[in-house]
């Protein structure tokens, strides 16, 4: 196990395209770090740079106190789990897991011990003599993780490992990966575009956009206090409502807020109401356009009288009729205020 530290890491492709624009990141020993962001934000490029599969243009990558910029991938003492499993189809599960250890010249009894231990942890001992084509998607992913575990690496790297699984299996494997990581206490870096996956797995959440880190920290802290409009709109499902100040309907007037302020309100913080919120709160007049029933709650989508859209979360499986008008509000302490540059206003 080891710390993984990135110092001003950059990646510039031929033609001057900056994929990674100087990232600093400290992942403590045994921590689970998740890189999340939209396609093209640089998260997979950054992971591949840590793995040694992508060259570094600038900066340093430190794994366990050793600068690995010029170290070959096989010598970095990391193990990578890919989304396509990358299993050898002609080998049994046992041989897939043992292959890397044999290449390193490990003694046969030691290989046997490591493979059996990993198989027990992952509950795939009964599958060791099967070929990959005889396994389900979830079983193949367990084998891929087993192949990483047997190496006893300093760090695990996961490149969207669950993206090929169906929704139900993805949830089960997400729980399994987190349970496994906590048991092994191995430093891990995990890449995903799924913000729910990111929120539930991470000790450290790193939100990336355009090759830079928009925000990093505890997942719930980021959800509760996004520092930019990008983070506010990306973390959360459905996303935060972001409205120009002029359309937000601040009760008692806009006060001293700059006219180019953007007001953010989480859907769960808007309440369909009969009374006005207190001074400084928001009151929105909406015409209902659609409703999504998702079991214990319903998301109501509507458009504002002055233009723009908003989403309100209500409890239960009932919703106002389509085309009806509702008023939804939130108190001042539930508002998120952002300046013209998209960054959170000081103190808000």
């Amino acid at each position: 196990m080891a710390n993984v530290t990135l110092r001003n890491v950059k990646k510039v492709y031929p033609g001057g395209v900056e994929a990674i624009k100087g990232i600093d990141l400290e992942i403590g020993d045994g921590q689970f770090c998740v890189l999340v962001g939209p396609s093209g934000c640089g998260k997979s490029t950054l992971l591949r740079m840590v793995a040694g599969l992508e060259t570094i243009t600038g900066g340093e990558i430190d794994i366990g106190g050793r600068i690995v910029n010029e170290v070959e991938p096989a010598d970095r003492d990391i193990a990578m789990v890919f989304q396509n499993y990358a299993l050898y189809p002609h080998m049994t599960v046992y041989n897939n897991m043992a292959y890397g250890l044999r290449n390193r010249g490990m003694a046969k009894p030691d290989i046997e011990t490591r493979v059996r231990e990993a198989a027990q942890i992952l509950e795939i001992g009964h599958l060791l003599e099967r070929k990959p084509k005889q396994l389900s998607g979830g079983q193949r992913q367990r084998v891929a993780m087993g192949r990483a575990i047997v190496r006893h690496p300093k760090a695990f790297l996961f490149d969207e490992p669950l993206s090929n699984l169906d929704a139900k299996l993805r949830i089960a494997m997400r729980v399994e990966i987190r349970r496994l990581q906590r048991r092994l206490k191995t430093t891990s870096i995990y890449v995903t575009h799924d913000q729910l996956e990111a929120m539930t797995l991470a000790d450290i959440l790193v939100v990336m956009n355009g090759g830079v880190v928009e925000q990093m920290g505890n997942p719930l802290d980021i959800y509760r206090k996004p520092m930019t409009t990008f983070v506010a709109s990306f973390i959360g499902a459905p996303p935060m409502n972001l409205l120009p100040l002029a359309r937000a309907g601040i009760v008692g007037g806009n006060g001293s807020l700059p006219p180019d302020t953007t007001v953010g309100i989480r859907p769960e913080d808007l309440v369909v109401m009969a009374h006005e919120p207190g001074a400084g709160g928001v009151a929105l007049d909406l015409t209902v356009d659609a409703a999504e029933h998702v079991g214990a709650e319903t998301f109501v989508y509507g458009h504002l009288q002055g233009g723009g859209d908003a989403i309100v979360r209500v409890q239960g499986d009932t919703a106002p009729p389509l085309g009806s008008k509702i008023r939804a509000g939130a108190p001042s302490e539930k508002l998120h205020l952002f300046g013209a540059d998209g960054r959170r206003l000081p103190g808000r």
Side-chain angles (χ1 to χ4, degrees):
M1 296 186 290
N3 290 13
V4 177
T5 305
L6 280 62
R7 304 184 187 97
N8 196 28
V9 171
K10 299 177 182 178
K11 177 64 180 181
V12 182
Y13 287 108
V17 177
E18 291 184 281
I20 302 294
K21 302 175 183 179
I23 286 180
D24 296 297
L25 180 60
E26 177 77 33
I27 305 168
D29 187 14
Q31 287 189 314
F32 199 119
C33 174
V34 178
L35 309 178
V36 67
S39 298
C41 72
K43 57 188 185 296
S44 290
T45 299
L46 190 63
L47 188 78
R48 289 173 62 83
M49 291 166 75
V50 175
L53 303 177
E54 193 80 55
T55 57
I56 299 169
T57 306
E60 292 181 340
I61 295 179
D62 180 320
I63 300 177
R66 180 175 65 147
I67 306 300
V68 298
N69 291 29
E70 305 299 328
V71 177
E72 290 296 315
D75 299 323
R76 295 194 179 196
D77 200 9
I78 54 93
M80 195 158 182
V81 180
F82 299 92
Q83 68 182 68
N84 62 356
Y85 319 128
L87 302 178
Y88 296 108
H90 62 288
M91 292 185 182
T92 63
V93 167
Y94 182 97
N95 287 329
N96 264 284
M97 293 171 65
Y99 182 77
L101 302 181
R102 289 182 182 135
N103 280 355
R104 294 165 64 182
M106 184 174 288
K108 188 174 180 179
D110 294 334
I111 293 174
E112 176 79 12
T113 298
R114 288 200 184 189
V115 171
R116 296 290 175 183
E117 285 179 350
Q120 181 181 14
I121 290 170
L122 292 165
E123 300 179 354
I124 55 172
H126 61 295
L127 303 175
L128 290 176
E129 299 307 315
R130 295 188 188 181
K131 301 283 184 67
K133 66 180 180 181
Q134 298 172 292
L135 306 178
S136 67
Q139 289 170 336
R140 291 179 192 178
Q141 193 55 271
R142 285 173 183 260
V143 176
M145 288 191 290
R147 184 176 52 191
I149 290 170
V150 296
R151 294 182 58 185
H152 294 181
K154 289 182 178 177
F156 290 136
L157 308 182
F158 297 89
D159 188 9
E160 304 210 40
L162 307 184
S163 60
N164 289 336
L165 304 180
D166 63 54
K168 182 178 179 181
L169 187 54
R170 212 162 44 236
I171 294 171
M173 289 303 299
R174 187 169 72 218
V175 172
E176 183 68 24
I177 287 174
R178 196 63 178 105
R179 182 193 66 80
L180 179 65
Q181 195 272 339
R182 282 177 175 153
R183 176 173 177 174
L184 299 176
K185 299 179 181 178
T186 304
T187 308
S188 301
I189 307 176
Y190 187 106
V191 162
T192 182
H193 64 275
D194 185 324
Q195 56 94 17
L196 179 59
E197 216 169 86
M199 288 284 293
T200 53
L201 285 172
D203 294 320
I204 303 171
L205 182 61
V206 179
V207 185
M208 295 185 62
N209 180 33
V212 301
V213 173
E214 288 270 339
Q215 189 172 349
M216 71 173 73
N218 175 275
L220 282 178
D221 289 344
I222 290 175
Y223 182 84
R224 291 167 179 156
K225 193 174 182 179
M227 299 308 293
T228 69
T229 52
F230 173 82
V231 175
S233 62
F234 191 81
I235 299 298
M240 181 182 288
N241 298 294
L242 294 171
L243 303 171
L245 182 63
R247 295 178 184 169
I250 301 289
V251 176
N254 299 334
S256 59
L257 293 175
D260 51 13
T261 297
T262 296
V263 179
I265 319 156
R266 291 282 181 200
E268 63 268 27
D269 292 331
L270 280 171
V271 178
V272 178
M273 61 184 188
H275 305 286
E276 296 286 323
V282 158
L284 303 177
D285 291 309
L286 295 167
T287 300
V288 177
D289 296 322
E292 289 182 345
H293 303 289
V294 291
E297 57 192 13
T298 297
F299 295 104
V300 177
Y301 296 77
H303 64 269
L304 303 173
Q305 287 184 352
D309 302 300
I311 308 169
V312 181
R313 187 179 76 174
V314 298
Q315 293 297 316
D317 57 1
T318 59
L322 300 186
S324 64
K325 298 184 184 302
I326 62 171
R327 172 160 278 205
S332 59
E333 62 268 21
K334 297 294 186 180
L335 305 186
H336 305 260
L337 303 179
F338 304 92
D341 60 356
R343 298 193 173 278
R344 193 180 193 91
L345 294 178
R348 300 306 297 261

